[in-house]
Structure formats: C-alpha cells, structure tokens
Amino acid sequence: MYDLVIRGARLADDTLIALAVKDGKIASVGRLAADVSAVRQLDLAGNCRLSAGWIDAHVHCYPDSPIYHDEPDRVGVASGVTSVVDAGSTGADDIDAFYQLTRSAKTNVFAFLNISRIGLLRQNELAELTDIDKHEAGQAIANHPGFIIGIKARMSSSVVGKNGTRPLVLAKEIQRENRQLPLMVHIGNNPPNLDEIADLLTRGDIITHCYNGKPNRILTPAGTLRESIQRALRRGVLLDVGHGTASFSFEVARQAIKLGILPHTISSDIYCRNRMNGPVHSLATVMSKFFSVGLTLPQVIACVTENAASALQLSGKGRLEPGYDADFTLFELRREPQVFADAEGQTAAGEQLLVPLAAVVAGEILLTEQGEAAHVFDL
C-alpha cells in the first residue's frame, strides 16, 4: 500500500500524470491501476498543476537576524515552496542557532554560510578581513553536512569597504578546502568592478542579482553582454535572479533574455519587509514576472526545480522520478491582467499569475491560504 496517490496532475507542459508516494519518496510516476490502494488518494482531475517542489535558492529566513529576517515556513510551505536556502544570513558565529531553529520547520531549510563569521549582523560584514576565519568556516561546514550546502560572499562596495576582491579570493580558498561547495556571489554597486569579480569565478559558482539595474551590471551601456560575463558563462558560472528589494530590473532582464542570457535559477531574495511591502511578495510572484520578459511556463518551472537542485547539489530533489524525494508544489496558472513591479520602480503588464495551492513535503500535504480558499482538494 502506498502512503499517497495523486491522479490527474497537470504538468507544466499540460501532460496529465499520476504519482505514488511511499516512505517520503516517489515510488511511481505515470499510469496507476484504478484499484491501487493508498492511505490517502487525491484526484486533481486535470484542474490543478503539479511540479517537483519549488526550491527558492536565495532567501533570508533566520528570525534572529537584525537586518534581514523572516520565518522559514512563511517563505516556504505557506508560499508553496518546499525547500529554501538562506543565503548568508548566518556565519560561523550563529549557524548552530539557525540550524536548531530549522529542525522544527515543515519546509526543507538549507544554508549558504556567510564567509564572515558574524553573518548579517551588520551591512558591511566583509569590511574587516579578520572576520573571515577560514578555520571557523571549515569547522561550521564540517559540523553541519547536508544543512550548509554552500558559501556566500556579498561583493559590493557597501559590504567589502576598501577590501576590493580580497574577500572573494578568501571565499574561493574556503571553497577549495571544503569539498568545492557551491559559492554564491552577490553583485551590486562597485567597487569592486564586476569584471574583476567575474574573472575569479569558476564552474558551478553562482552570480546572484544577475539582472540588477545598477551601473555594475551584466550588460554594457550599449546593451551587450560584458565580455567578462561571457567568459564566466563559458566556464560554467551560473546566473541566479535574487530579485530582492533593489536587485531586479525588467529592462535588464528583457534585454538579456533577448540576447539568450537566461537565468539558471529564479530566486526571490525574500525577507519580511519585501514580502509584505513588495516588490517581491513571494517566489510565485517573482516567477510570474518572467512571463512578461519572455520565458515560458516550462522554463520558469525548470528554474525552481531541476536547475535549482543541480546548482545546489541537492541530489534527491527537483525531479518527478522514482526514488526522488516526494516534494511537490501544486499550483494554478491564472490568466488575468496583472501589473508587476521591479526593484527600479518600473512596472510591466502581465497576463498570467502563478498561484501556489499546496506544498507537499515528503508526502505530507500542506495547503497554502489560496489552496484552502480554492476548495480544490478533498482532504
């Protein structure tokens, strides 16, 4: 007997499938016999879409952070997101406390360790090189395998002060000494110049805030892609959206996508203020904005499922295949006029909105507020 059977699920490409779950894993995908038994059966009758669980690769959900904070389940399962990655809110000093807090969350919570031991205790956490302790970072990573899945370096002038690219050089050393974990690099105002940053990055490194509208952006004033970014992409460096309060421009995204420069991952950079006041609101809202700049539903879904799992080295997630974790997002694609805002104060008209109805984590169904209101599920 299965724990859960879902029938009539509509995928991003409009295919209808059935899934069976056993012990928190996907046991079967495809057609299922009508008389299959399960503890719980859910027939969506093609009225609801399903994907592998959405992964938000860049959030800030350490509640005790004095600058950027939120609750893991508020930005996670309550928003249809099954896995979140906190992007550097904590360093070696407070990663233990963050880890303990996440053990009671329904959402799968992971962390990029800030290379500064103090984390986001203040905005310029990389202004003092003495706060970058490679030994302490390595010890934290060793103490939390499977929770710390990468490291984070914020490379903008307000963060690094007069240190230029030196923090990034130290980040690469920490990376090499710790199983070559993914490195996420925040780009913003210069110095350091984006060209200097990009030339230090190697395969699998992640540039977040890739479509920011600041002068230190991926496009030249002429609207072409910087040569340093071209070289980085050829080396296998990945682009992450990291929308945030000040790091997403419709104009830059639209131009880049026309050039074929698509995001590898779509993430929100969400925390309480930009969730409540915008312009982020939720991962679903950020995903929906990409219909307005040229992406299709299958492309958008790939950016928060298989692409994200690959970039973050989450081997059991991101795909609807037997043996993978039974993490799903159930959602609607509503077709109605929308007006979306970016981080530059610009707006874009849209016709489609993703509405998450439920997160399924290891086979457990967790309805969102929209899911409860929609009365789609007979639970």
Side-chain angles (χ1 to χ4, degrees):
M1 176 183 287
Y2 295 119
D3 298 322
L4 172 66
V5 164
I6 301 177
R7 300 178 187 276
R10 187 175 298 278
L11 302 183
D13 64 1
D14 285 328
T15 303
L16 293 178
I17 65 164
L19 304 103
V21 173
K22 181 70 174 178
D23 297 329
K25 300 289 184 180
I26 300 174
S28 178
V29 180
R31 294 185 177 182
L32 293 171
D35 60 352
V36 157
S37 61
V39 175
R40 173 173 286 178
Q41 299 213 31
L42 184 62
D43 190 349
L44 301 177
N47 297 321
C48 177
R49 293 183 183 270
L50 179 147
S51 70
W54 294 353
I55 302 167
D56 195 337
H58 185 158
V59 309
H60 291 284
C61 65
Y62 179 43
D64 292 340
S65 173
I67 301 177
Y68 306 116
H69 54 268
D70 215 321
E71 298 288 337
D73 282 342
R74 187 65 192 81
V75 300
V77 293
S79 302
V81 178
T82 60
S83 298
V84 299
V85 184
D86 185 278
S89 299
T90 55
D93 285 358
D94 47 7
I95 191 69
D96 293 349
F98 184 35
Y99 173 77
Q100 291 301 324
L101 180 149
T102 64
R103 298 310 88 190
S104 60
K106 293 288 189 180
T107 309
N108 301 304
V109 183
F110 305 96
F112 279 106
L113 181 75
N114 197 311
I115 62 166
S116 171
R117 63 177 183 80
I118 67 171
L120 291 180
L121 185 63
R122 58 174 190 261
Q123 287 281 13
N124 62 341
E125 76 270 16
L126 297 179
E128 299 292 337
L129 291 179
T130 54
D131 287 331
I132 306 174
D133 188 309
K134 294 196 295 178
H135 174 75
E136 287 188 6
Q139 190 61 55
I141 292 167
N143 289 344
H144 297 290
F147 175 61
I148 297 176
I149 61 168
I151 57 177
K152 174 78 179 292
R154 299 201 305 150
M155 297 302 299
S156 56
S157 58
S158 61
V159 179
V160 302
K162 298 179 180 179
N163 289 326
T165 58
R166 182 59 184 162
L168 183 54
V169 171
L170 293 173
K172 293 298 291 182
E173 292 177 6
I174 293 170
Q175 180 188 45
R176 286 192 293 270
E177 294 167 9
N178 292 277
R179 309 190 312 278
Q180 205 65 27
L181 290 175
L183 166 63
M184 177 177 279
V185 178
H186 154 123
I187 59 171
N189 291 317
N190 59 318
N193 188 275
L194 180 55
D195 296 332
E196 299 176 78
I197 295 168
D199 284 341
L200 289 171
L201 303 182
T202 55
R203 175 173 294 276
D205 291 343
I206 302 165
I207 294 175
T208 192
H209 310 315
C210 67
Y211 298 138
N212 78 64
K214 299 167 186 177
N216 203 31
R217 61 195 185 195
I218 66 172
L219 300 179
T220 69
T224 60
L225 189 66
R226 285 182 185 239
E227 291 185 5
S228 63
I229 298 298
Q230 294 180 42
R231 293 193 297 270
L233 295 179
R234 287 196 294 269
R235 292 196 301 275
V237 173
L238 308 175
L239 298 181
D240 172 64
V241 170
H243 187 302
T245 304
S247 299
F248 176 74
S249 161
F250 278 126
E251 180 182 0
V252 173
R254 194 175 288 114
Q255 290 180 26
I257 288 169
K258 282 184 179 179
L259 294 173
I261 310 305
L262 277 60
H264 189 76
T265 50
I266 295 174
S267 67
S268 66
D269 188 17
I270 198 169
Y271 77 111
C272 61
R273 290 181 189 169
N274 66 30
R275 169 172 58 80
M276 294 185 290
N277 302 328
V280 174
H281 297 298
S282 67
L283 179 61
T285 301
V286 174
M287 293 162 64
S288 300
K289 294 179 185 184
F290 278 83
F291 301 135
S292 301
V293 293
L295 296 194
T296 65
L297 178 60
Q299 287 175 313
V300 168
I301 294 299
C303 285
V304 298
T305 56
E306 58 195 82
N307 289 5
S310 173
L312 302 169
Q313 300 178 12
L314 298 176
S315 59
K317 300 189 183 299
R319 294 182 178 274
L320 298 176
E321 296 180 10
Y324 276 67
D325 293 345
D327 292 353
F328 317 124
T329 298
L330 306 179
F331 63 98
E332 290 181 345
L333 180 62
R334 294 184 183 169
R335 299 183 182 275
E336 53 191 51
Q338 307 290 327
V339 177
F340 297 112
D342 67 8
E344 300 289 312
Q346 302 301 308
T347 60
E351 298 294 332
Q352 300 181 102
L353 180 68
L354 290 164
V355 179
L357 303 176
V360 180
V361 179
E364 180 181 0
I365 302 172
L366 303 160
L367 296 184
T368 66
E369 289 183 8
Q370 299 97 322
E372 292 177 352
H375 301 293
V376 173
F377 309 103
D378 182 14
L379 299 178

